[in-house]
């Protein structure tokens, strides 16, 4: 397997960084593995606890419990404790709406609002252990509500605002949420996304939902159901200004976040209160070297794990000032982000390679219009950053003065795992490598048999021991938890990623090794995509795979066979795309659909996706000796080539929310 990262593994030292012996990092890393419990206990002491833990770790594979017996509350960590110090007047959140509206929340306002929102939840009968779902745009009320849930011990699920009614209903029903919080709408590229209408459609499928809180964002007229729907503003009228924080067991779930895996159904990843917070708090400092005067902007949506740990829990637990932007990167013009960086004096920018590749394409003249000199540190997350994009980021956004932290982690890991850590020591960087594991993270690259590989060989990335941010499990599905992460290589956590370690021990993350796609940094399972396509009336069989995409990294392509009475047409192609957007959401828009008579299968009837992936990428199909129907490949190739000739692709929108 080849990858851009493998080609360029030469050491690259930005001019402001010179090689050091990495004394500090090496010492800290070694100690973290030699005395893991003492090490993590020291990190945990940086937080405020109602009660100190009895045991740092209870490890009964595959379940890890951290800080057992300890009690704490995330809302006091992230809001109250700052509001009691000089930080009360420090900015917690600079919010920029897409339509130009702005608001600024100080830590005292944040703390006050968290209390009031917690009071609202309590008055609606929500208490410890209850599940609350959020389907919201990127507005400050979202982090406030997340912390309000934590205050009373309710467990939140944030549902990305680009998801469809069916996707919302699947998640809400799985956790049996009693309450959904949504908004009348949100702004996306100048248009209004009708979130309340979508929520109404979803709630029709969710008998568990008793109440819907609605936040006014757009002021549009919206469909309303008396008795069920309530405006947040009316609830706040008689909210208490103080709610006693619930002393939460460290091992109690804080949130459940759904993510795609290798089966059709997204999995509800459960994160704990104590271990998760210790992990996100510690790694946030190590990786971003946060200082009081830092202005931190993570451009992810709160609906993904990056938003949870790098917009809400990591930064706010440190009392950092963050920027939240509601809308599209290219609205009204492609320099909107650079305008925001300049306006708020952003010092740390954390974003995705997909966004960077989009900016690369639009040219540097847009950057020249802005003063980006406030930037000190740049970050990348969600997908491999190819060396060319890394260099562009370094040169054009960082003016060759900002180190780049390429951070590898997953929804399941809760926090960053492999990354440069300028907060500990500035490592020499190599474009395209996430460098070394953070302290406490025992990462390795193994072969198919689980044997650790020598340097420069590609294998599977595993984590050999538990870490505090490790998921507690998959909601309602212990079997799937065991199978997805702990069965492939017994005793160690399987990440599902390919990786390679070079001679310096640096990790190169090479993409997914399983049936999970990363499209524009968003995680989607091929089984989930196929499930959506097959529910279209005209479709008999489908195989979903990916092809490389210059901007999105990977793009979805479908090979489809039709039921007898149907024949391929442009109209049908468009209708399948419409259907997928409706079933999963715009993130699932395929780049191409190839209509074929049959799909290549093994003699036992398994679709050979590997072969289709090669066809869709214009590569050699490799060994096909196990194939049952060879003509299907010739057909798939023909479909690929003719479509390539006639069109440049459907639904090729970069930002598809
Ligand atoms: C990929 C996102 C290369 C990887 C935080 C992982 C990366 C999946 C990187 C998790 C990186 C994330 N370099 N690949 N720096 N960061 N990935 O759950 O394939 O949305 O398994 O979490 O993203 O995606 P998830």
């Amino acid at each position: 397997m080849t990858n851009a990262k493998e080609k360029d593994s030469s050491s690259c030292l930005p001019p402001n960084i010179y090689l050091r012996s990495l004394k500090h990092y090496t010492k800290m890393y070694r100690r973290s593995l030699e005395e893991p419990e003492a090490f993590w206990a020291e990190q945990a002491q940086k937080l405020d606890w109602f009660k100190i833990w009895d045991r740092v770790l209870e490890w009964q594979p595959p379940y890890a419990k951290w800080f057992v017996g300890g009690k704490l509350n995330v809302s006091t960590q992230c809001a109250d404790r700052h509001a009691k110090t000089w930080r009360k007047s420090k900015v917690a959140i600079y919010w920029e709406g897409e339509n130009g509206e702005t608001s600024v929340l100080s830590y005292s306002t944040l703390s006050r609002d968290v209390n009031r929102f917690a009071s609202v939840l309590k008055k609606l009968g929500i208490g410890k252990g209850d599940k609350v779902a959020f389907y919201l745009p990127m507005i400050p009320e979202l982090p406030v509500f997340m912390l309000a849930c934590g205050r009373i011990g309710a467990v939140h699920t944030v549902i990305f605002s680009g998801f469809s009614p069916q996707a919302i209903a699947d998640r809400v029903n799985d956790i049996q949420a009693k309450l959904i919080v949504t908004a009348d709408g949100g702004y996306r590229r100048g248009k209004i996304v009708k979130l309340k209408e979508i929520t109404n459609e979803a709630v029709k499928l969710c008998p568990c939902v008793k109440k819907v809180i609605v936040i006014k964002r757009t002021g549009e007229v919206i469909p309303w159901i008396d008795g069920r729907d309530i405006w947040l503003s009316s609830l706040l009228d008689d909210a208490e200004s103080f709610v006693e924080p619930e002393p939460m067991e460290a091992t109690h779930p804080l949130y459940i976040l759904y993510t795609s895996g290798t089966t059709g159904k997204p999995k509800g990843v459960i994160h704990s209160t104590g271990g998760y917070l210790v992990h996100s708090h510690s790694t946030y400092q190590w990786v971003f070297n946060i200082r009081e005067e830092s202005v931190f902007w993570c451009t992810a949506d709160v609906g993904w794990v990056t938003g949870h740990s790098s917009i809400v829990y990591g930064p706010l637990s440190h009392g950092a000032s963050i920027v939240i932007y509601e809308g599209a990167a290219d609205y009204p013009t492609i320099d909107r982000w650079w305008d925001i960086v300049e306006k708020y004096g952003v010092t740390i920018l954390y974003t995705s390679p997909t966004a960077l590749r989009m900016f690369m394409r639009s040219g540097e003249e847009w950057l020249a219009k802005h003063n980006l000199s406030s930037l000190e540190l740049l970050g990348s997350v969600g997908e491999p950053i190819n060396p060319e994009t890394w260099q562009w980021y370094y040169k054009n956004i960082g003016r060759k003065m900002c180190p780049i932290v390429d951070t590898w982690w997953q929804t399941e890991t809760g926090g960053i795992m492999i990354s440069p850590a300028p907060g500990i020591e500035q490592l020499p960087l190599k474009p395209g490598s996430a460098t070394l594991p953070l302290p406490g993270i025992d990462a390795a690259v193994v072969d198919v048999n689980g044997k650790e590989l020598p340097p420069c060989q590609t294998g599977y990335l595993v984590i050999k021991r538990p870490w505090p941010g490790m998921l507690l499990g998959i909601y309602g599905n212990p079997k799937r938890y065991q199978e997805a992460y702990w069965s492939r290589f017994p005793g160690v956590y399987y990440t599902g990623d390919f990786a390679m370690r070079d001679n310096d021990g640096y990790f190169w993350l090479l993409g997914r090794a399983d049936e999970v796609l990363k499209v524009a940094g968003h995680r989607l399972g091929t089984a989930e995509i196929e499930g959506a396509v097959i529910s279209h009336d005209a479709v008999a069989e489908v195989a979903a795979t990916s092809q490389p995409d210059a901007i999105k990294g990977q793009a979805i392509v479908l090979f489809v066979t039709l039921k007898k009475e149907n024949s391929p047409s442009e109209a049908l192609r468009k209708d399948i795309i419409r259907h997928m957007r409706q079933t999963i959401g715009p993130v699932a828009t395929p780049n191409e659909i190839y209509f074929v008579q049959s799909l290549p299968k093994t003699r036992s009837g398994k679709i050979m996706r590997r072969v289709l992936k090669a066809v869709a990428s214009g590569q050699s199909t490799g060994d096909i000796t196990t194939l049952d129907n060879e003509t299907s490949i010739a057909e798939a190739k023909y479909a690929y080539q003719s479509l390539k000739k006639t069109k440049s692709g459907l639904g090729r929108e970069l930002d598809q929310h």
Side-chain angles (χ1 to χ4, degrees), residues 306 382-384 406-411 497 509 512 518 523:
T306 314
E383 46 182 320
D406 174 4
T407 63
W408 178 90
W409 53 301
Q410 306 179 299
T411 304
D497 272 23
L509 287 315
R512 298 292 304 196
K518 271 287 183 161
R523 195 164 147 175

Side-chain angles (χ1 to χ4, degrees), residues 536-540 560-576 593-597 635:
H536 188 284
D537 287 344
V539 174
V560 168
T561 67
L562 295 173
K563 287 184 186 152
K564 249 204 236 112
E565 58 281 11
N566 298 281
S567 47
S569 70
E570 197 50 32
L572 185 55
R573 196 189 300 274
K574 285 194 174 136
D575 198 57
I576 294 175
I593 299 180
Y594 304 113
F595 292 113
V596 289
Q597 294 295 325
E635 208 203 344

Side-chain angles (χ1 to χ4, degrees), residues 585-606:
V587 282
T589 308
N591 255 33
E592 307 287 8
I593 299 180
Y594 304 113
F595 292 113
V596 289
Q597 294 295 325
S598 63
L599 296 173
K601 290 187 188 149
T602 60
R603 282 175 199 123
S604 59
K606 256 183 98 179

Side-chain angles (χ1 to χ4, degrees), residues 209-223:
V209 174
K210 304 295 174 230
K211 295 280 175 212
V212 176
I213 296 183
V214 187
I215 300 175
K216 188 169 262 172
R217 168 72 192 107
T218 62
E220 292 254 289
V221 179
I222 48 167

